[in-house]
Amino acid sequence: MSYAMGTATTTNFVAQPRHSRREISPGNQNGFISFKASSRIPIMPSNFNNSASIRASVLTDKTNKRVEVDCNAEICRFCELGNLRSAMDMLQNSKKSQLESSTYCSILQLCANHKSLQDGKKVHSVISSNSVDVNGLLGCKLVYMYVTCGDLREARRVFDGIPKEDVFLWSLLMNHYAKVGDFRESITLFKQMHHLGIDANSYSFSCVLKCFGALGSLVGGEQAHGYLLRLGFDSHNAVGNALISFYAKCKQIESADKVFEDLSDRDVISWNSIISGHVTNGISEEGLEIFREMQLLEVKMDLATMVSVLPACAEMGRLFLGRALHGYGIKACYGREITLNNTLVDMYSKCVCLDDAIRVFQTMNERSVVSWTSMMAGYAREGQLTSAIKLFHKMETEGVKPDLFTVTSILHACASNGSLEDGKNLHDHVRRNNLQPNLFVANALMDMYAKCGSMTDARLVFDEMIVRDIVSWNTMIGGYSKNCLPNDALNLFINMQSESKPNGVSMACVLPACSSLSALERGREIHGNVVRNGFSSDHHVNNSLVDMYVKCGALEVARLLFNMMPVKDLVSWTVMIAGYGMHGRGKDAIAVFNEMHRTGIKPDGISFIAILYACSHSGLVDEGWRFFNFMRNDCKIEPKLEHYACMVDLLARAGHLTKAYKFIGMMPIEPDSTVWGALLCGCRIHRDVKLAENVAERVFELEPENTGYYVLLANIYSEAEKWEEVKKLRERIGRKGLKKNPGCSWVEIKSKYHVFVSGDRSHPQTKRIQSFLEKVKTRMKEERHLPNKRYALINAGDMEKEEALCGHSEKLAMAFGILSLPPGKTIRVTKNLRVCGDCHEMAKFISNMVGREIILRDSNRFHHFEHGRCSCRGYW
């Protein structure tokens, strides 16, 4: 080999001393080494030039090599010591030629350990400026550093620009996408990896199954299951556990059970996954059975086992087992674990052991927002709303920031207790913290306002929402229906269909609005919508449909639909029983009740209210007593005020006023205005003025602001023609500033409602209506059906009373229906108050006169007028 000398002379070098090893610098191309003269070397004779220069070259090479080795070694040493600052300083002061790829990897690992994104980016900058190839291990380290430091976007950019044949790199990125909740992107990476022919490993399968489970994508998960079977990963414990969890999240618990049974090597995670799967799918009893099997096989439980089993104890009310697990947790030194304590607080509160829940909560050395929320939910569950609200404010003062679940939980508590003021205060907190844009919070606010009866506030929240989901629409529609605003509910349902497709809940929410209005035609349209969209199998929708047909007067259609229902729950039977009761068919109601009892469905308190109501409105006194005693003695249901009110109504309607009065005196609980009001109604029916006066004073003490009871007594006086007493009572009403709800009736013609009030002459068809009623009045006089003037309720002459009677709203609505509907069509009229006796008699006469069925629904019940008779038989 020849060496280029400073004198440009060349010579053949044959021998070298042992210490002068030659090193070729990586930066020196063509294999030449340059020697530089040093001032320290004395001038030697010319024949010594070659050997002296060579010795200098050797010394320089050795020094450079030592510096290079020392630089990489020193940085790695700093990395091993965790000294990121010194490592970074040395890196930035080093030359490009001095650094090895492994050194970059070491310092990137240290940046990841310290989660120092800033330093990691500096290292990446040095790598880029030094034109170092980023592939293999160095590429993996860069991606790892970025994902660990939280910069997933930059990690993906590096990932997309490097060769990636190693499954580890794909799994790494997939896992971090899953951690941040971007499950779809993780699945996309898995598919890309498969498309490139890179076989997945157990980690990537576990990750992608988790993603499919989180998204509820059963088909995608099943495809991944088939893929891993082909690669032979079904025997891997981690993959099996992931499959169990996936199927459980997709509500395929039978598939989860099969994977669990086929798993040869089960660890505690396998048992925890299958137990948790059963519990979260509402099969807590089976979850506890698996837990018992786990104990028999002596599989040692861990913290996750207890956290999975305790919710099952709460669900099943297994307080003894819950306490045993609590004791085990303490002995196993889990007593300070926050997840266990949170679950214990929830378990004790759901098992109606609020004191134990409080004790666990107070002894917790560390509390998370979950701890506070669980405790608040416990208070709310026991009806201690004030304590829940106080705890919420205490949590704020301790610096714990409430999460969305906390806010929605407290809002639901306010809704359940009807606490509008507390709900509004919480709404202020929501505004201050800018939480209202959150969809779940906005929906909870609307639900709270709706259940507290403030639909104006609910609508304000609804109108301010930027994004609405199906829950938002259903909450508002249901709120309008339950707050006696049926027209608003129907209008919003129409608006909804232009923005969102209704679901089964939407139908169940809007149908009560049709029921309230007796809007049969609109109800039929919604029924058609139900059939077209495949909601016919939804038993909640079916129950609402039966209720709608019942309350719209189509009792036979309701029964036909009831008979077709594949599954009948307690609500289904109760709706049908109440329906027969409303239509005065008490014996049919009793037959349905007995049929329900034979099928093994146990009646509850509401079912007994329905059957007692049916007996009352059909004059079935003995049967009513039998059901009342059956409820108390056989079903062990303690009667509530509603049941006592039904019994008083039963006796009073049948004319047993004194017996009803004594029954009230023997009640074990203090009677309320509803109980006394039932007796007052009986006094009107049987015109017992003296008892009415006594009963009315008791009612006025209990509900001094309820105008209805004052009006009822005034009507009793009017019918008895005690006009001076009527005057005094009306003056009393005026002094209190009370207002009577005006009586109104309406009839549906071609899906349009025509509303009439007493004495109304504003309708375009008024002349035709009055002419028809005059003809009816004339015919009634000819056939000696004289108007009952005591129902006129005014102190005037016979002529004025007759005119007043002719102007009653139900008569106007009936007349308009007969004039507007085609021959043979049933006339359906609804009134907001009780039908008056004279209108009742005229309706019977008109039904016979024109040969039409008239169905009149008043505030108490239905009246079916046909051939001059009424279905109520006088019990109304």
Side-chain angles (χ1 to χ4, degrees), residues 257-493:
D257 283 335
K258 188 175 186 312
V259 173
F260 179 76
E261 289 167 5
D262 294 342
L263 202 58
S264 57
D265 181 24
R266 299 173 189 159
D267 58 9
V268 67
I269 298 174
S270 314
W271 290 93
N272 293 345
S273 298
I274 197 67
I275 292 169
S276 177
H278 280 83
V279 175
T280 55
N281 277 277
I283 321 173
S284 295
E285 183 64 43
E286 289 188 23
L288 292 177
E289 285 294 331
I290 296 169
F291 173 68
R292 277 189 280 270
E293 182 184 350
M294 174 184 176
Q295 295 302 294
L296 289 172
L297 293 173
E298 297 182 351
V299 179
K300 188 177 180 181
M301 74 172 85
D302 61 5
L303 177 63
T305 314
M306 288 185 285
V307 172
S308 297
V309 175
L310 282 168
C313 297
E315 183 71 24
M316 303 299 297
R318 302 291 176 83
L319 181 60
F320 180 79
L321 178 57
R323 289 191 191 281
L325 287 168
H326 188 180
Y328 178 87
I330 293 171
K331 289 179 182 178
C333 300
Y334 294 135
R336 291 181 174 270
E337 291 289 341
I338 190 169
T339 52
L340 176 62
N341 287 322
N342 288 344
T343 314
L344 284 168
V345 168
D346 185 65
M347 184 274 295
Y348 280 126
S349 65
K350 286 180 178 175
C351 289
V352 201
C353 291
L354 191 59
D355 289 340
D356 289 317
I358 294 169
R359 195 173 297 113
V360 173
F361 179 78
Q362 290 176 341
T363 56
M364 290 174 70
N365 62 318
E366 180 188 358
R367 298 186 189 120
S368 67
V369 66
V370 177
S371 319
W372 293 91
T373 305
S374 298
M375 196 65 247
M376 286 176 222
Y379 278 124
R381 200 175 287 113
E382 291 295 304
Q384 297 185 29
L385 177 62
T386 304
S387 298
I389 297 292
K390 284 181 180 177
L391 197 65
F392 177 79
H393 293 310
K394 186 179 179 183
M395 179 185 76
E396 284 188 299
T397 59
E398 293 197 9
V400 179
K401 188 177 180 181
D403 61 9
L404 297 176
F405 186 75
T406 311
V407 173
T408 52
S409 295
I410 293 294
L411 283 170
H412 288 315
C414 294
S416 300
N417 288 273
S419 180
L420 181 60
E421 185 179 351
D422 286 323
K424 284 188 172 182
N425 290 336
L426 195 58
H427 192 177
D428 290 336
H429 169 88
V430 167
R431 287 195 188 98
R432 288 194 304 271
N433 291 274
N434 196 32
L435 296 175
Q436 189 162 323
N438 181 274
L439 185 62
F440 296 106
V441 173
N443 287 343
L445 277 168
M446 285 189 298
D447 181 65
M448 181 273 296
Y449 280 125
K451 287 178 179 173
C452 291
S454 182
M455 287 308 298
T456 303
D457 288 312
R459 186 57 188 255
L460 286 172
V461 176
F462 180 79
D463 289 339
E464 290 173 1
M465 293 177 72
I466 300 170
V467 178
R468 303 182 185 115
D469 64 357
I470 190 71
V471 177
S472 315
W473 291 95
N474 291 345
T475 300
M476 284 301 300
I477 293 168
Y480 279 132
S481 293
K482 290 174 183 175
N483 284 283
C484 302
L485 296 166
N487 286 311
D488 294 291
L490 288 168
N491 290 334
L492 195 63
F493 180 75

Side-chain angles (χ1 to χ4, degrees), residues 151-168:
D151 193 341
L152 194 54
R153 180 178 296 180
E154 189 62 23
R156 181 59 181 270
R157 193 185 68 80
V158 175
F159 175 84
D160 289 339
I162 62 174
K164 37 192 176 288
E165 297 178 358
D166 189 352
V167 67
F168 165 79

